[in-house]
Amino acid sequence: MTQLHTVQVLGGGSAGSSAHVRSLAAGLVARGVRVTVCAPAELDHHYDFLSTGAHFAPVPRRSDPAAIGALRVACAGADVVHAHGLHASVRAGLALGPRSVPLVVTWHTRTHAEGARGRLVRLMERKTVRTAAVVLGTSSELVDRARRRGARDARLGPVSIPAPREGAAEAEAGKARAELGAMDRPLLMAVGALEPHRGYGTLLDASRLWLRHDPVPLVAVAGEGCQRIELQRRIDTEGLPVRLLGRRDDVTSLLASADVALLPSRWEARSPLAQEALRLGVPLVATAVGGVPELVGDAAELVPYGDAGALAGAVTALLADPVRRAALSAAGRAQAATWPTEDETIAQVLSVYDELCGVTRPRSH
């Protein structure tokens, strides 16, 4: 059996898709697959794809006209090309052109756009799913969306983020909490890019209501993005108990130190924050949107998107009820145990590759 060669294509590289590709690369290499990761050079600095045993081919971001040519070279000789995200899928399709190399597409999330840009996004979605041999959606809603756009074969492909090392995050939690100055007050933690669809405006509205709480909770937000200046201006002007931490490498430790995790987004598929919070046993308050209810089941408090009063009320009730927090902590760990493991995720993806390439592997015992 000749060695299978797959090319993994990332576009901008969200935290969730980048972590998934790193996990996938390591698992596939361990199974004897030759892997090439194509992504902007800075992503390798952060995720160290080379250390997995994969080859790394730097590809400029989507605004650079050289990107398609670089991808075309990297995909030469590939048995399967696997693109992660809409823009990566469009570029991979253009790079492959008329070649008969099967294209697998994973939709980790959806692009938020309205008006003319929204129409362009729908056109791009239709084009990519009709080009792909298989579309994997990380939530049932994304699978349905791909089918509506005309996908020939759309399947549920829930990705798993690497599980935190047992006890490691908890060991650092006290240090993280002390650094934030939250030893004598509740700590609420949110993680994600500072972008409009993340719902941080609603989170700031809720934080104003928490000023009535004694002691006042500290809201810490790990992430960077286009809304930083706007959000910081509101925090300073209104005296809100919120700290924007910027991009952090110790998110797991920060999350483990929190009393409650917050996910106020307008839409999510398989939120990395939700996965980490439940695995760590941190009570989660999240919006009932996209794939979140499917992911968390009954193991989180769900509120409507954009409702600051509901968000504030759910958190206030949890802070006043240690029994409920303990129940959610236990339920979160139990729910996390039902999710696919990294090995199961990698095995599913490899089975798709084998199916497309007509490869039969010996069964493991």
Side-chain angles (χ1 to χ4, degrees):
M1 184 170 62
T2 58
Q3 186 181 35
L4 187 71
H5 179 204
T6 175
V7 174
Q8 305 288 319
V9 183
L10 278 165
S14 69
S17 60
S18 297
H20 173 59
V21 168
R22 191 188 191 287
S23 168
L24 199 55
L28 291 172
V29 168
R31 288 162 174 78
V33 178
R34 180 183 167 204
V35 179
T36 299
V37 177
C38 296
E42 61 267 25
L43 286 183
D44 186 50
H45 296 312
H46 191 69
Y47 291 95
D48 195 12
F49 299 112
L50 282 168
S51 70
T52 67
H55 302 277
F56 181 75
V59 174
R61 290 189 176 273
R62 61 178 180 262
S63 58
D64 192 318
I68 302 301
L71 266 179
R72 189 172 290 125
V73 171
C75 291
D79 297 302
V80 180
V81 174
H82 190 163
H84 299 264
L86 180 59
H87 293 285
S89 305
V90 170
R91 292 196 301 167
L94 291 172
L96 288 174
R99 283 184 282 178
S100 58
V101 179
L103 174 64
V104 177
V105 168
T106 292
W107 278 2
H108 294 264
T109 186
R110 71 180 196 191
T111 302
H112 301 274
E114 298 173 355
R117 176 161 167 70
R119 290 190 292 274
L120 175 62
V121 165
R122 288 191 291 274
L123 179 64
M124 291 165 64
E125 289 177 343
R126 285 195 294 271
K127 183 175 179 60
T128 57
V129 300
R130 292 171 183 179
T131 301
V134 175
V135 178
L136 299 174
T138 58
S139 70
S140 298
E141 187 173 329
L142 286 174
V143 174
D144 292 341
R145 186 182 182 92
R147 288 172 179 160
R148 290 196 304 271
R149 298 290 188 258
R152 291 175 287 169
D153 186 342
R155 312 177 191 181
L156 184 63
V159 303
S160 174
I161 62 171
R165 286 181 294 122
E166 191 70 30
E170 289 85 347
E172 294 293 318
K175 179 180 175 183
R177 196 172 182 115
E179 179 209 331
L180 295 175
M183 298 303 291
D184 300 314
R185 60 194 294 198
L187 176 61
L188 314 177
M189 191 76 209
V191 180
L194 306 182
E195 297 172 351
H197 72 275
R198 295 288 184 181
Y200 291 130
T202 302
L203 179 56
L204 295 193
D205 291 341
S207 75
R208 190 166 55 238
L209 299 175
W210 292 322
L211 288 170
R212 307 169 188 163
H213 199 280
D214 184 20
V216 176
L218 173 64
V219 183
V221 182
E224 197 53 84
C226 62
Q227 278 199 306
R228 169 177 269 278
I229 293 174
E230 174 189 341
L231 294 173
Q232 190 63 60
R233 184 182 297 119
R234 272 199 64 188
I235 293 166
D236 295 340
T237 301
E238 300 175 32
L240 302 177
V242 180
R243 283 188 59 186
L244 303 182
L245 306 179
R247 197 182 304 277
R248 298 286 296 238
D249 295 326
D250 58 345
V251 164
T252 301
S253 297
L254 289 169
L255 195 54
S257 72
D259 296 288
V260 179
L262 305 174
L263 184 67
S265 302
R266 182 170 69 192
W267 196 90
E268 293 279 351
R270 288 183 71 85
S271 160
L273 166 71
Q275 291 185 62
E276 283 213 84
L278 267 61
R279 277 179 168 161
L280 291 166
V282 178
L284 173 68
V285 176
T287 43
V289 297
V292 174
E294 177 182 24
L295 177 69
V296 305
D298 296 324
E301 296 285 359
L302 298 180
V303 298
Y305 167 71
D307 190 332
L311 176 60
V315 171
T316 298
L318 276 180
L319 292 178
D321 189 348
V323 174
R324 175 61 179 159
R325 290 203 307 276
L328 279 181
S329 177
R333 289 191 168 100
Q335 178 71 7
T338 70
W339 299 333
T341 63
E342 275 192 281
D343 279 347
E344 289 167 342
T345 298
I346 293 159
Q348 181 196 16
V349 171
L350 183 55
S351 73
V352 172
Y353 297 168
D354 288 346
E355 176 187 329
L356 294 174
C357 297
V359 174
T360 301
R361 294 178 185 271
R363 291 186 178 182
S364 58
H365 299 283

